[in-house]
Structures are given as structure tokens and as C-alpha cells.
Amino acid sequence: MSLKDRLAQPVNQTLRRIPSWPLYIVGAIPPVWLFVAGLTGGLGVDPVKAMEHQMGEWALWLIIASLCVTPARRYLGINLIKFRRAIGLLAFFYVLFHFLIWLVLDVQIVSQILADIAKRPYVTVGFAAFLLLIPLAATSNNWSVRKLGPGWRKLHQMVYAAAILGALHFIMLVKGFQLEPYIYMAAILGLLALRLPDWLKRRRR
């Protein structure tokens, strides 16, 4: 047994005893807290914008966390696969809440919403990322895995494009140069780069 496996073995033994369903309960707490804080004046002078921004940023955190699962297994020997579905679904619902806050609480006017999607590049990019995540969330179940077969894995590789578009949306959204969104983009590109050896190996085969 390699040193990596010896170090990872106790971690994996512990992880096997932890079910994935509590993640959904834990993941429901931040949006509820954010909504209550918005109602009680805890989010400053513009609570809608604060909720909108925070939900989008949390969604990026979760997307990045889902991208960490494969490199963690390959390079560290830590198996988080059984948690990836919950992380991915929570990321989708956070993006959905981010979108609904913008749609229902911020813009509100249907014609303005359509105009923003068509004419504002950062909105177009963010909306494209949201659309890419819809089929991934809809097929995040055992029935879809069996029904789609090898195509399921290819379909879910769209998360790579959605992650890049999400970070690009953040970069385009902020005013002036801010380091934070570029850190997210660098993290996403770095995690995708770690997949290149496996991709090149499959190409050679």
C-alpha cells in the first residue's frame, strides 16, 4: 500500500460511515438565514442586491467543491464521490435562488428581464451558465444514470463550461478590478487542468 493510500484510508473509513443526506439539511440553512437577515435589516441598505450576490457566490463555492471531488480521489486518495450529487444539486438550487432573487425581487418587469438577458453581456453569460446546469440537475438521479449509460458522464461534463461561465459572470459583474472573482476563475481552471492527464490518456486509447 502506498503512503498516499495509508494516509487516506482512515479518512475514507470515516467518510463511509457518514451519509450524504445531511448535506441537504445543512445546505438549506444559509439561504434561510440570508432571507431572514434580509427581512430583519441585517443585510444593509440594499438587502435584495446583498442576497442576490451572496447566493451567487455561495453557488460558485459549491461548484468549485464539486470539481474538487475527482482530483481529491486521484491525487490524495480521498473518496468523496458519494457526496458529489448532493453538492452539485445544492449548487444548482443556489444558482436558481440567485436567479429568482434577480428575477422576482430585483428587476421584476418581464420586458426588462428579457432585455437584460439579450443586451447585458454579464447577464447573458450568467443565464447561459444557469441553462447548462438545468439538465445536469434534472438527470442527477439513479434512473437517469441507468437510462443514459455512458452518455450520462458526457452530459455532466457540461459542468466544466457552466463553472467557467459562472466565474466569468462574476468577473464581468463587479465594477473595476477586484481580485476575488479572478481567484475563483483561477481555482476552476486549475481544477480542470488537473483532469488533463486522464483526458489525454483516454484520447490516446
Side-chain angles (χ1 to χ4, degrees):
M1 184 182 293
S2 68
L3 176 61
K4 180 183 74 174
D5 292 334
R6 286 200 300 271
L7 293 174
Q9 188 175 37
V11 177
N12 288 330
Q13 288 174 346
T14 302
L15 290 173
R16 279 194 289 270
R17 293 193 291 268
I18 301 174
S20 61
W21 62 262
L23 281 179
Y24 295 104
I25 298 174
V26 174
I29 294 172
V32 172
W33 170 84
L34 194 66
F35 184 70
V36 172
L39 290 177
T40 56
L43 297 180
V45 295
D46 194 345
V48 172
K49 283 294 182 184
M51 286 191 289
E52 186 180 326
H53 171 81
Q54 191 61 70
M55 288 305 305
E57 190 166 0
W58 284 342
L60 265 181
W61 292 359
L62 287 169
I63 290 172
I64 290 171
S66 71
L67 293 178
C68 287
V69 172
T70 296
R73 183 174 60 172
R74 176 177 174 83
Y75 296 102
L76 303 177
I78 297 174
N79 191 349
L80 299 165
I81 294 294
K82 75 174 184 179
F83 302 105
R84 184 163 58 184
R85 179 182 296 178
I87 295 170
L89 284 172
L90 285 171
F92 169 75
F93 284 112
Y94 277 35
V95 173
L96 177 62
F97 294 153
H98 171 71
F99 175 71
L100 289 177
I101 292 167
W102 173 75
L103 186 77
V104 177
L105 300 179
D106 190 356
V107 182
Q108 298 181 342
I109 303 170
V110 175
S111 59
Q112 183 61 48
I113 291 166
L114 297 176
D116 281 353
I117 292 172
K119 296 180 180 180
R120 294 179 182 267
Y122 75 90
V123 178
T124 307
V125 168
F127 187 65
F130 171 61
L131 292 180
L132 286 176
L133 291 174
I134 292 174
L136 306 190
T139 56
S140 290
N141 53 74
N142 293 333
W143 181 86
S144 295
V145 174
R146 293 192 300 269
K147 192 73 173 176
L148 295 174
W152 184 90
R153 185 180 297 274
K154 292 182 179 179
L155 174 67
H156 278 250
Q157 288 176 349
M158 288 199 304
V159 71
Y160 306 153
I164 293 171
L165 289 175
L168 181 60
H169 168 69
F170 192 10
I171 290 171
M172 298 169 71
L173 176 64
V174 298
K175 296 178 180 179
F177 177 81
Q178 295 185 30
L179 186 59
E180 186 181 15
Y182 289 95
I183 292 174
Y184 291 139
M185 179 64 85
I188 290 167
L189 294 178
L191 289 167
L192 297 184
L194 291 175
R195 288 165 164 77
L196 282 177
D198 284 341
W199 182 80
L200 292 172
K201 189 182 297 184
R202 287 195 298 268
R203 291 284 293 180
R204 283 196 295 268
R205 290 175 182 172

